[in-house]
Amino acid sequence: MSGNEARVQAIYQIANKEAMPPKAPEPLAKMWAENVFNLSKMQASLPKAVFKSVKKTIVTGEKLDPSVADAVATAMKDWAMSKGALYYAHVFYPMTNLTAEKHDGFISVQSDGTAISEFAGKVLVQGEPDGSSFPNGGIRGTFEARGYTAWDVTSPAYVMETDNGATLCIPTVFVSWTGEALDKKVPLLRSIAAMDKAASKVLKLLGYTDVAHVNSSCGAEQEYFLVDANFASQRPDLLLAGRTLFGKAPAKGQQFDDHYFGAIPERVQVFMQDVEETMYKLGIPAKTRHNEVAPGQFELAPFFEAANVASDHQQLTMTILKHTAKKHGFVCLLHEKPFAGINGSGKHVNWSVGNSTQGNLLDPGDSPHENAQFLVFCGAVIRGVHKYGPLMRAAIATASNDHRLGANEAPPAIMSVYLGSQLEEVFEQIKTGSVTDSKHKGVMDLGIDVLPPLSKDPGDRNRTSPFAFTGNRFEFRAVGSNQSVSGPLVVLNTMLADSLEWIGNRLESELAGSDLNTAILTVLKEVMEAHGSVVFGGDGYSAEWHRMAVEERGLLNLPTTADALPYLKAEFVEDLFKKTGVLTPVELESRFEVYAEQYILSIDVEAKLVISMAKTTIYPAAIEYLSKLSATMSSLTSMGITLEKDTAQKIADLANSMMAVTDKLGAAIEKHDFASTEEHMQYCATTIRPLMDEVREYADALEGLVADSFWPLPTYQEMLFIK
Ligand code: ADP
Ligand code: MG
């Protein structure tokens, strides 16, 4: 079957495809957390004293008492086996944004040759997955490649059901034998501890005596595309790179041609229902909805949870989306820009901090005291974004997210804070110290006055800001759809820890000579004077902002990963992580190495794909059509009819040009002598990527000239609109 025949066959198959029959929905109360070994299941199966000890560990994040581990392990195993699990897996989160698992059986063969099921406390608490092939950025030499996984008690174990059976999954941290963090979970837990410490101190200075453990919360909105698996399997670029490296944009009028539309809602809806059901069983609070931004693009948003659990759940969500899509004959694309010229996918990380005694600390509240507390925490965030903007940018820097950031539908690569007009005005007043000419209620005397109610209307939100206050939380909108949310959360928690530490110290010394309100205002005024330039409420897409941000406000515009990642090595970033205890310099350096390598490798893979697709798929299609054209032209000539040779000439020119640039790209990827990783990244960004784009331009122009019946790749129009 020629490429084109396969494509045409796929169109017919998909157009006639029925949705999978929807399952009769089970009651939510029955499904909810059915597959999670949560507190209530522990309470039901553990002796009272053991349960109390575990519960304390979960709430405080302390180490599990080894003397209770055996009892917990046995109860967990019995529960998992009652759900059909014969295996358990330590699940961990290497630096690659992926989720990794090592499976082991519960089986234990006895000296008399019989087998029993066994799961000891020490196996629950610590595993040894070898894992020497996970990138570690040079932390582990191969001779000491051993890494350990250890149960993160704050994230509950669960049973994962797949077609191949059920497995007990235990979320774990992954550390080297010398104790260095090799994963994304350890830094996250440390960043929460650092933030808790600094926040508690500030809350006490604000007059609270009862201050519970402060945690950070996260609700991550996931965007994704669905493409029929029949099409995806014919696109090597989608299969290997997760995005299309070629493809002409569909004409506007054709975009809304509902010829193929019939089955979309049904198939996708059944898919979504299936996703939700799996999520509910795993205790992930999903709420699904359609996203209308791009054809074939959807969104899934959960209710927020504690950051650590939310992060594990987010990883699970991505896995569930991919697995479920397969079951329904789709491929789920989590890439940030699967289709050029069409909106990309992000992951809005909604983030806040709070505890059980003072509640959400980024909620303005409605009493003067709550207002003051809110302004202190909000001021701390502003200071953090200004001081560590480049680090925030580095935390979302990947080869794939570069296609989205700074593009017209996505947040710019300049980090700024959007507060909304009312709150912006409040902070402006704090900065200038003037109360009198406020349009809204005065706020300077925090002991008496109350903040005006801040608008929580989504319509009021600035969609062009990478980091926006949305009523009771901040929304980091520039995070990539493919990413683990841990990295961004680590940065947000850590920079907040640093700011709160600074504010705490300043408040302490101010309080020696003045009352609380005066002290707060003095400190916030200092914050705004030094860092207020990061607050921006205007159009983040505009050229004027790109100029003003850099020239007048001294903010950094870091358009590519090659520009952003080196900030991981900057002294102020190293200092931040060192003093908060979140990452040692060695751990930080290893992260730079891993992320840089990922960037370079993924561009290398894409470049090789561009070359092979141009040479072996697109060029042959053009030539085949050309030979058909020339045969037709000569037979017409013999009949005395002349066909203009313009089209043939154009195709030949484009094909030649495409091959010339392809050769240039082939030569370019042969270069290996770089003075540094930084130089290599810049080379990828400024030499390889533009050459790939150039090949694509010729190829896409060819797609517009070669007869459709000769074109071997499923087109944008087909992939986006036929479901
Ligand atoms: P919108 O769709 O307008 O952005 P939603 O109410 O759907 O608003 O919220 C988006 C996300 O923000 C959800 O995942 C929600 O759980 C999360 N969210 C709400 N409050 C908080 C909070 N305090 N901390 C973290 N995330 C939150
Ligand atoms: Mg949102």
Side-chain angles (χ1 to χ4, degrees):
M1 196 165 19
S2 78
N4 180 258
E5 285 164 30
R7 192 190 124 208
V8 172
Q9 200 177 64
I11 295 174
Y12 281 104
Q13 279 173 355
I14 298 162
N16 292 316
K17 209 177 229 171
E18 298 277 337
M20 271 175 67
K23 283 188 260 177
E26 291 183 70
L28 186 59
K30 181 179 174 296
M31 278 193 287
W32 179 249
E34 190 183 305
N35 291 346
V36 187
F37 194 61
N38 55 13
L39 275 176
S40 68
K41 292 199 185 75
M42 287 190 204
Q43 188 163 24
S45 57
L46 290 172
K48 238 188 190 141
V50 174
F51 174 70
K52 236 176 110 182
S53 163
V54 180
K55 191 176 166 188
K56 182 165 160 262
T57 310
I58 292 172
V59 174
T60 59
E62 284 164 22
K63 273 214 167 72
L64 186 69
D65 178 354
S67 69
V68 306
D70 277 329
V72 179
T74 305
M76 196 188 275
K77 180 205 73 182
D78 290 346
W79 169 79
M81 290 188 79
S82 78
K83 303 199 75 64
L86 291 177
Y87 282 80
Y88 68 92
H90 275 204
V91 178
F92 54 104
Y93 310 91
M95 293 182 226
T96 51
N97 283 319
L98 299 174
T99 306
E101 296 173 357
K102 179 177 187 239
H103 292 232
D104 275 295
F106 289 126
I107 186 168
S108 169
V109 179
Q110 305 297 289
S111 51
D112 64 0
T114 56
I116 59 163
S117 66
E118 191 178 64
F119 189 49
K122 65 176 196 298
V123 184
L124 164 66
V125 174
Q126 183 167 308
E128 197 181 317
D130 174 25
S132 50
S133 53
F134 287 103
N136 58 67
I139 284 188
R140 301 182 296 164
T142 35
F143 63 94
E144 53 192 32
R146 227 175 319 161
Y148 292 102
T149 51
W151 183 29
D152 164 20
V153 187
T154 60
S155 187
Y158 55 93
V159 163
M160 189 72 175
E161 291 169 325
T162 66
D163 292 341
N164 305 323
T167 305
L168 169 66
C169 294
I170 301 155
T172 62
V173 294
F174 184 36
V175 290
S176 73
W177 70 283
T178 44
E180 271 122 355
L182 295 173
D183 69 350
K184 291 199 169 259
K185 189 187 261 291
V186 173
L188 178 56
L189 295 172
R190 289 182 191 156
S191 74
I192 294 168
M195 188 276 298
D196 169 38
K197 188 167 156 243
S200 302
K201 177 175 171 180
V202 167
L203 287 172
K204 284 180 183 145
L205 288 170
L206 294 180
Y208 296 105
T209 46
D210 185 15
V211 176
H213 171 71
V214 182
N215 205 339
S216 86
S217 58
C218 165
E221 302 164 61
Q222 175 77 55
E223 289 180 331
Y224 61 93
F225 279 85
L226 289 176
V227 170
D228 192 278
N230 272 330
F231 285 143
S233 65
Q234 293 177 45
R235 298 274 328 201
D237 45 2
L238 279 188
L239 291 182
L240 295 185
R243 73 171 177 119
T244 53
L245 297 168
F246 298 100
K248 195 174 76 65
K252 261 242 159 73
Q254 291 172 325
Q255 270 176 349
F256 301 105
D257 178 354
D258 19 89
H259 182 57
Y260 299 121
F261 256 55
I264 292 181
E266 212 193 330
R267 264 184 88 193
V268 175
Q269 246 164 39
V270 177
F271 158 81
M272 284 174 168
Q273 195 190 324
D274 204 353
V275 167
E276 275 173 32
E277 194 176 306
T278 310
M279 289 175 75
Y280 289 152
K281 284 184 179 171
L282 291 168
I284 310 174
K287 53 172 192 173
T288 307
R289 58 189 171 196
H290 232 108
N291 191 321
E292 286 141 45
V293 177
Q297 191 189 29
F298 309 93
E299 186 187 289
L300 181 74
F303 288 106
F304 67 94
E305 300 180 279
N308 176 37
V309 176
S311 173
D312 290 359
H313 280 173
Q314 223 293 308
Q315 292 295 112
L316 255 178
T317 301
M318 292 195 283
T319 306
I320 293 167
L321 280 170
K322 284 188 180 160
H323 282 180
T324 313
K326 233 186 211 165
K327 239 167 78 184
H328 290 255
F330 289 122
V331 168
C332 176
L333 303 174
L334 295 175
H335 193 284
E336 283 78 2
K337 197 79 178 174
F339 301 98
I342 284 163
N343 273 10
S345 298
K347 183 142 55 197
H348 297 176
V349 172
N350 292 272
W351 164 81
S352 187
V353 295
N355 64 6
S356 59
T357 40
Q358 280 73 46
N360 181 353
L361 297 166
L362 288 171
D363 191 323
D366 39 33
S367 71
H369 194 75
E370 284 170 328
N371 283 178
Q373 162 198 312
F374 161 71
L375 291 175
V376 167
F377 279 84
C378 199
V381 174
I382 294 169
R383 177 184 180 275
V385 180
H386 187 243
K387 277 200 80 170
Y388 302 108
L391 173 61
M392 286 172 72
R393 172 64 185 94
I396 52 168
T398 61
S400 48
N401 207 21
D402 281 1
H403 292 289
R404 180 176 156 263
L405 292 182
N408 238 357
E409 94 284 354
I414 307 165
M415 291 301 135
S416 64
V417 181
Y418 172 77
L419 294 176
S421 51
Q422 281 174 308
L423 192 55
E424 190 175 329
E425 194 182 339
V426 170
F427 273 105
E428 202 46 48
Q429 286 171 11
I430 289 174
K431 185 168 145 191
T432 56
S434 77
V435 243
T436 42
D437 56 355
S438 165
K439 263 184 266 158
H440 302 290
K441 213 161 164 15
V443 290
M444 295 311 286
D445 191 348
L446 290 164
I448 300 162
D449 279 330
V450 183
L451 276 180
L454 301 173
S455 169
K456 289 183 189 175
D457 176 11
D460 190 39
R461 289 184 201 165
N462 187 326
R463 298 282 165 195
T464 67
S465 173
F467 194 68
F469 180 68
T470 52
N472 60 0
R473 62 189 186 273
F474 280 89
E475 185 171 345
F476 194 4
R477 307 180 62 251
V479 180
S481 51
N482 220 346
Q483 261 191 282
S484 155
V485 296
S486 284
L489 288 171
V490 166
V491 170
L492 297 179
N493 289 334
T494 308
M495 70 188 204
L496 184 62
D498 176 63
S499 283
L500 289 173
E501 170 76 21
W502 184 88
I503 287 179
N505 290 338
R506 281 294 296 114
L507 274 181
E508 214 162 25
S509 55
E510 284 302 310
L511 281 171
S514 49
D515 65 87
L516 183 60
N517 286 320
T518 315
I520 290 175
L521 285 174
T522 307
V523 175
L524 284 180
K525 187 169 190 300
E526 277 176 32
V527 166
M528 287 310 289
E529 277 165 356
H531 306 290
S533 61
V534 80
V535 175
F536 178 64
D539 179 2
Y541 296 164
S542 69
E544 173 56 9
W545 170 237
H546 282 76
R547 187 200 61 75
M548 187 207 300
V550 176
E551 288 174 17
E552 291 171 21
R553 303 201 186 189
L555 304 178
L556 287 169
N557 181 7
L558 304 170
T560 72
T561 297
D563 303 316
L565 266 193
Y567 278 93
L568 288 185
K569 289 172 120 180
E571 210 176 307
F572 72 99
V573 170
E574 191 179 306
D575 283 349
L576 170 73
F577 283 124
K578 208 159 83 183
K579 71 183 171 197
T580 49
V582 173
L583 289 170
T584 65
V586 171
E587 288 170 330
L588 185 61
E589 165 97 24
S590 75
R591 274 149 185 83
F592 168 77
E593 290 299 336
V594 170
Y595 303 154
E597 187 184 35
Q598 297 256 308
Y599 175 74
I600 291 166
L601 283 180
S602 54
I603 292 183
D604 190 54
V605 166
E606 286 191 348
K608 286 177 178 151
L609 258 171
V610 163
I611 294 168
S612 83
M613 287 176 74
K615 283 188 178 169
T616 65
T617 307
I618 295 168
Y619 184 74
I623 296 308
E624 223 179 301
Y625 179 51
L626 212 49
S627 81
K628 167 89 179 168
L629 263 184
S630 79
T632 311
M633 280 159 83
S634 33
S635 70
L636 284 177
T637 309
S638 68
M639 291 162 65
I641 304 172
T642 343
L643 199 63
E644 285 302 332
K645 63 173 197 171
D646 285 11
T647 302
Q649 188 63 56
K650 260 188 217 152
I651 291 174
D653 290 347
L654 286 170
N656 285 334
S657 304
M658 181 182 77
M659 290 306 266
V661 188
T662 304
D663 285 342
K664 243 166 100 180
L665 178 60
I669 59 171
E670 287 308 316
K671 180 174 159 66
H672 294 296
D673 51 329
F674 297 99
S676 64
T677 310
E678 285 87 335
E679 192 187 294
H680 196 172
M681 283 198 292
Q682 281 297 345
Y683 182 74
C684 290
T686 55
T687 302
I688 305 287
R689 277 241 155 116
L691 283 171
M692 288 166 58
D693 290 344
E694 219 182 310
V695 175
R696 179 182 185 143
E697 263 176 53
Y698 292 120
D700 291 357
L702 282 170
E703 190 182 334
L705 286 177
V706 170
D708 188 59
S709 58
F710 279 73
W711 198 252
L713 296 167
T715 64
Y716 267 34
Q717 185 175 308
E718 289 156 1
M719 289 186 286
L720 290 169
F721 294 104
I722 307 181
K723 294 259 153 39

